[in-house]
Amino acid sequence: MLTTSSDPIALDQQRVLQVYRRSPVVFESGRGCSLFTRDGQRYLDLISGVGVAALGHAHPALARAIADQASTLLHTSNLFHHPLQAELAARLAELSGLSRAFFCNSGAEAVETCLKFARRYWHAHGEPGRTGFVALDHSFHGRTMGAVSVTWDVHYREQFGPLIPGVTFVPAGEAAAVRAAITKSTAAVIVEPIQGEGGVRPLTPLTADAIADACRATGALLIADEVQCGLGRTGRAFYSPVLGLQPDLMALGKALGGGVPIGAALFSEKVASAAKAGDHGSTYGGNLLACRAALVFLDELIEGGLMQHVAQVGAHLESGLRAIATRQPGVKDLRGAGLMWGIELDRPAASVVQAALDRHLLINRTSDTVVRLLPPYVIGEPEIDEALPLLEAAIATALEAPRT
Ligand SMILES: Cc1ncc(COP(=O)(O)O)c(C=O)c1O
């Protein structure tokens, strides 16, 4: 491990833009679902770098492939072809039914690409004024200008205006309002099939049906943001089909590279056919390293049986969480699927996250009152059985304390 700083936290505070509320812990290595500090303390990881380290830490096949690729060829840009990008696009097409892919470096860039090409589609079809977007309350789509414009929580947006115009937010629980908001001025509707940052909220079947109907009736395109809930996280390749949604565009990121940054926007042929050379691009997007990592991830997910494993251990985790919810009166709701869970509390969740950290269990808080779990896909039942009592103790301790 190459570090020169004896106090990385102090150096961070001096030299890194202070936009994160980090816990004061410094991890230097990991293995599977464990992370280790410099002095060898072990923490059990139930958040996997916010849904990224799907194969766990230091996964042998991923580590070998990255090392091999680094000593072969890392990057050539998109001025030339290389063998891995098209192969990855073909694998994603097979998995999603969306025929083409554009590669970028993050979830926000994937969302940005989807928003741009929704508008590009209407330009190509003689309706350049059809630029509106419909998004749901509690949505989170990323921090770039376009992605943050369709992100609901005003705190992410208000200091950065003016943002892109023409965005309408509608309450996700009101199917009739959602239907009414989608009109012939709507370029696209953007939804997370399970909202992540907004508090782990699955879209209701009623709202999903309203969206599908309104898109059919008006021609509005549907963008599924599967950055957090997609790629096996719920025990299924994607969550849109579970809700009967057939997106025209899909945004992917997080788990795709297992920790190597990569995002992807997937396109139906209908939308892809509007794209011309020069319309969009990325210097790094889809380079050899990122594609090699993503191919290893997909191999493990599909051929390696990891998706079935997520479904199996996800059911085990769910039953443990349901038992906790019945025992702990401060738990108001439990939402999620597979290995994506939100535990809604009757008060702010920050103290539970701290109490878990004190017990060397890594979880996080989202949407103020929700404790979120996004464990690595490789987690086993013994690790879940280790985590559940720690989580329950953290909830019990934090909820016993007087409300602040
Ligand atoms: C649903 C969803 N979309 C987009 C993003 C943005 O991804 P990134 O942080 O990689 O830009 C996130 C990140 O949490 C997300 O959960």
Side-chain angles (χ1 to χ4, degrees):
M1 172 72 49
L2 185 68
T3 66
T4 51
S5 166
S6 60
D7 190 350
I9 296 179
L11 192 57
D12 176 293
Q13 282 161 3
Q14 277 170 22
R15 293 290 171 233
V16 177
L17 191 72
Q18 294 297 292
V19 291
Y20 297 115
R21 289 185 205 92
R22 302 184 207 265
S23 299
V25 52
V26 183
F27 290 118
E28 283 199 341
S29 65
R31 184 148 298 272
C33 298
S34 297
L35 283 171
F36 300 95
T37 60
R38 186 175 288 185
D39 57 356
Q41 304 256 357
R42 171 183 176 258
Y43 288 69
L44 183 54
D45 183 6
L46 259 60
I47 196 64
S48 62
V50 200
V52 168
L55 302 184
H57 304 286
H59 185 274
L62 182 60
R64 264 195 314 275
I66 290 171
D68 177 63
Q69 199 57 53
S71 62
T72 307
L73 188 62
L74 284 177
H75 178 87
T76 56
S77 84
N78 286 300
L79 294 175
F80 310 103
H81 291 274
H82 68 69
L84 304 179
Q85 193 179 117
E87 187 180 334
L88 178 58
R91 293 222 55 188
L92 290 170
E94 201 183 324
L95 203 60
S96 67
L98 292 167
S99 60
R100 287 177 191 270
F102 174 86
F103 294 105
C104 49
N105 313 287
S106 66
E109 278 179 77
V111 166
E112 205 70 33
T113 305
C114 292
L115 297 173
K116 281 182 73 178
F117 280 89
R119 286 189 171 174
R120 181 72 184 89
Y121 173 85
W122 292 110
H123 272 262
H125 287 80
E127 292 189 57
R130 187 164 180 169
T131 56
F133 294 110
V134 171
L136 301 179
D137 58 4
H138 299 286
S139 63
F140 181 90
H141 297 292
R143 308 293 199 129
T144 55
M145 274 301 188
V148 87
S149 299
V150 290
T151 288
W152 174 73
D153 190 333
V154 74
H155 296 114
Y156 294 124
R157 288 185 279 123
E158 66 189 350
Q159 311 296 331
F160 300 100
L163 302 177
I164 66 164
V167 178
T168 308
F169 291 100
V170 270
E174 293 175 26
V178 173
R179 192 186 299 261
I182 302 166
T183 68
K184 292 208 166 177
S185 312
T186 308
V189 183
I190 179 163
V191 294
E192 294 157 87
I194 302 179
Q195 293 181 328
E197 304 302 305
V200 189
R201 297 169 201 274
L203 205 61
T204 65
L206 220 57
T207 301
D209 287 351
I211 290 170
D213 284 352
C215 285
R216 249 191 312 273
T218 62
L221 300 174
L222 177 60
I223 303 170
D225 181 347
E226 296 249 7
V227 167
Q228 191 164 143
C229 66
L231 292 168
R233 168 64 57 194
T234 65
R236 295 179 159 100
F238 303 106
Y239 206 75
S240 308
V242 176
L243 297 164
L245 293 174
Q246 284 187 327
D248 302 286
L249 291 141
M250 186 185 283
L252 299 178
K254 290 202 188 278
L256 184 56
V260 176
I262 178 169
L266 306 186
F267 296 72
S268 66
E269 203 55 35
K270 171 177 109 174
V271 180
S273 60
K276 299 275 177 298
D279 276 355
H280 197 49
S282 165
T283 299
Y284 290 117
N287 79 7
L288 289 108
L289 180 71
C291 290
R292 180 78 183 265
L295 286 166
V296 172
F297 166 72
L298 290 178
D299 276 350
E300 295 292 325
L301 187 71
I302 311 299
E303 284 78 17
L306 200 52
M307 197 139 70
Q308 286 93 317
H309 173 80
V310 171
Q312 198 184 320
V313 293
H316 185 70
L317 177 62
E318 177 176 1
S319 69
L321 293 175
R322 294 222 175 274
I324 291 176
T326 56
R327 286 191 294 262
Q328 295 298 327
V331 174
K332 278 174 54 188
D333 197 10
L334 178 68
R335 297 183 293 265
L339 289 177
M340 176 174 186
W341 289 98
I343 307 163
E344 173 104 44
L345 304 177
D346 65 359
R347 70 195 79 185
S351 55
V352 176
V353 175
Q354 182 58 48
L357 187 69
D358 295 342
R359 289 164 174 77
H360 286 200
L361 179 71
L362 304 177
I363 56 177
N364 95 326
R365 167 188 68 90
T366 186
S367 179
D368 195 35
T369 52
V370 179
V371 169
R372 178 176 48 175
L373 311 180
L374 295 170
Y377 297 3
V378 293
I379 195 167
E381 291 191 2
E383 284 155 318
I384 291 174
D385 293 341
E386 181 189 349
L388 286 168
L390 298 173
L391 177 64
E392 182 160 14
I395 292 174
T397 311
L399 299 195
E400 264 163 27
R403 285 170 194 258
T404 47

